[in-house]
């Protein structure tokens, strides 16, 4: 794990690291914000998974999360959204390949050798950061758009690891969306039976979630037809799942939406992790 | 004035406009954040001038100002840092030409035709925004680095227009710094007598300022030798100028520094403008 940059921010530290990854077979970059409390002891962790076309950097620079993490005394980790590099498969489309890992383990060529973001996020990166940073083994997870899909599906499948889950404008039902069918087909093949483990609406309907869930969605989001918040809301209502899907009047899909509600989410996770 | 983008942010609006400028002879872009109060009436304005290499966009996306402007009920305007475009002179160096207007009216070729950022910021853009946006004729001004230099020099020379001034890591003494001598020489010529109107240390010594001044400076800023906070601090102390230059332990020159202290500055201006 090699330090790429360090900046003081809200009396804590905004750090960027890179490391060779066994899981993805390439060098991976991630960012972590450590609050002032981390100088004196271990702090809980909130994982923030980013959306299509993003790297570790977008939420780190535009989300305004540091202020809220400092105030609440929790760390936030910002992983990259896919493997990257010359030897890694890619596609000309913005929504497939590098920058669009969809948080799955690909089983099909050409993606299979490197596109293993599910294992990277749930296994390798947690193990690495717990070994090297002052972090408690206590985790919440959130994300935006494709990252909201990642957060929800990963939490629902791993309730023993995560104690809180929320999402900003998540892709909720990828098996029925053009943000999903194309990618799941490419990464996992055409047998749709293999897709359901990566669809939070289907997972929630099947498994439920042990605590409450917080989802914020801009009511003027330009991608509502692809995100399908109504699918997740219906599954939550049907299952009597504690939680809320908040439709926020006037907000779009941008980081102006994410930063507006970042304080609510960080505080909400902190209440459940501390 | 043509609307380029509009995003809801903290219940207000983050807007970007472009317009043909008579002053700079090219199309100019600027951003403005309007707080929720602007729906019902006019609000005071804080001008934020950006630093070398920046456009209207850096502080808008990375400064986290919207939250604080919304809470305090003031607008923030983010102008560009220079004229731009194909017909506009430029230089290969990052610190001269496009992205480096230094908030002066150039009197030397090739800069003279377009590089008139002093008049653009003090005359044309205020007139334009007052005509088209719900803004009170009540102004504060701040900025970062080269923009801190712009804020201080512009306020000190125009006390009838601005009621509050602050700065983040300003270039305080450009007549004695490599961030200044090169540019003032290029834009204004080698007669150093013409430079003193663009040096906040000299201006403060000569004119003082009607109210108090707030300056934040990272103590671990990588550009301290160019910024020379000690020059401004000495001039303030010598003149018994109300105000403070706060050396902030551990902070560098980045937007992680700016965003950390953005709340303090916005609130400080709001107290003096409302």
């Amino acid at each position: 794990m090699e330090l790429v940059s360090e900046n003081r921010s809200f009396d804590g530290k905004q750090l960027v690291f890179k490391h060779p990854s066994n899981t993805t077979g390439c060098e991976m970059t991630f960012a972590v914000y450590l609050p002032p409390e981390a100088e004196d002891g271990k702090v809980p962790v909130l994982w923030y998974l980013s959306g299509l076309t993003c790297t570790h950097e977008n939420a780190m620079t535009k989300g305004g999360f540091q202020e809220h993490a400092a105030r609440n005394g929790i760390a936030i980790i910002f992983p990259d959204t896919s493997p990257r590099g010359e030897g890694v498969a890619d596609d000309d489309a913005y929504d497939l390949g590098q920058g669009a890992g969809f948080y799955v383990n690909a089983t099909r060529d050409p993606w299979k050798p490197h596109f293993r973001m599910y294992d990277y996020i749930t296994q390798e990166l947690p193990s690495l950061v717990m070994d090297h940073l002052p972090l408690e083994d206590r985790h919440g997870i959130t994300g935006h758009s494709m990252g909201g899909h990642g957060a929800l599906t990963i939490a629902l499948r791993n309730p023993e690891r995560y104690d809180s889950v929320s999402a900003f404008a998540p892709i909720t039902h990828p098996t029925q969306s053009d943000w999903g069918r194309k990618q799941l087909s490419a990464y996992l093949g055409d047998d749709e039976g293999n897709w359901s483990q990566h669809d939070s609406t289907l997972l929630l309907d099947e498994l439920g979630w042990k605590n409450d869930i917080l989802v914020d969605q801009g009511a003027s989001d330009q991608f509502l037809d692809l995100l399908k918040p109504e699918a997740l809301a219906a599954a939550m209502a049907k299952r009597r799942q504690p939680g809320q899907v908040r439709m926020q009047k006037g907000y779009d899909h941008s980081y102006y939406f994410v930063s507006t509600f970042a304080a609510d989410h960080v505080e909400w996770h902190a209440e459940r992790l501390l």
Side-chain angles (χ1 to χ4, degrees), chain A residues 175-194:
Chain A
T175 63
Q176 301 301 323
S177 168
D178 287 344
W179 272 353
R181 295 187 61 83
K182 169 185 172 181
Q183 294 83 357
L184 295 172
S185 173
Y187 296 142
L188 304 177
D190 289 333
D191 179 354
E192 297 189 23
N194 295 328

Side-chain angles (χ1 to χ4, degrees), chain A residues 209-228:
Chain A
W209 172 249
K210 60 182 181 175
N211 295 322
D212 54 343
I213 296 172
L214 172 62
V215 175
D216 273 309
Q217 171 62 58
S220 298
D221 193 313
Q222 57 270 50
F223 302 115
L224 276 173
D225 289 349
L226 296 161
L227 301 168
K228 300 188 183 302

Side-chain angles (χ1 to χ4, degrees), chain A residues 30 33 76 79 82 126 137 148 163 174 192 195 210 220 228 272:
Chain A
F30 70 95
Y33 178 75
I76 305 188
S82 78
D137 193 11
D163 285 316
E192 297 189 23
W195 298 0
K210 60 182 181 175
S220 298
K228 300 188 183 302
R272 284 151 185 80

Side-chain angles (χ1 to χ4, degrees), chain A residues 1 42 123-136:
Chain A
M1 211 166 100
K42 294 185 174 186
Q123 304 293 331
E124 186 180 14
L125 189 54
S127 170
L128 185 74
V129 296
M130 299 300 290
D131 282 349
H132 290 91
L133 295 169
L135 303 176
E136 259 183 78

Side-chain angles (χ1 to χ4, degrees), chain A residues 129-203:
Chain A
V129 296
M130 299 300 290
D131 282 349
H132 290 91
L133 295 169
L135 303 176
E136 259 183 78
D137 193 11
R138 192 137 171 81
H139 305 263
I141 190 164
T142 187
H144 175 230
S145 196
M146 177 184 76
H149 145 78
L152 289 164
T153 54
I154 284 172
L156 288 164
R157 292 174 62 185
N158 298 276
E160 73 293 347
R161 177 184 293 274
Y162 302 95
D163 285 316
S164 56
V165 61
S166 77
F168 300 83
I171 300 172
T172 68
H173 202 16
T175 63
Q176 301 301 323
S177 168
D178 287 344
W179 272 353
R181 295 187 61 83
K182 169 185 172 181
Q183 294 83 357
L184 295 172
S185 173
Y187 296 142
L188 304 177
D190 289 333
D191 179 354
E192 297 189 23
N194 295 328
W195 298 0
S196 58
Q197 291 298 298
H198 299 286
D199 183 304
S200 58
T201 294
L202 299 179
L203 286 168

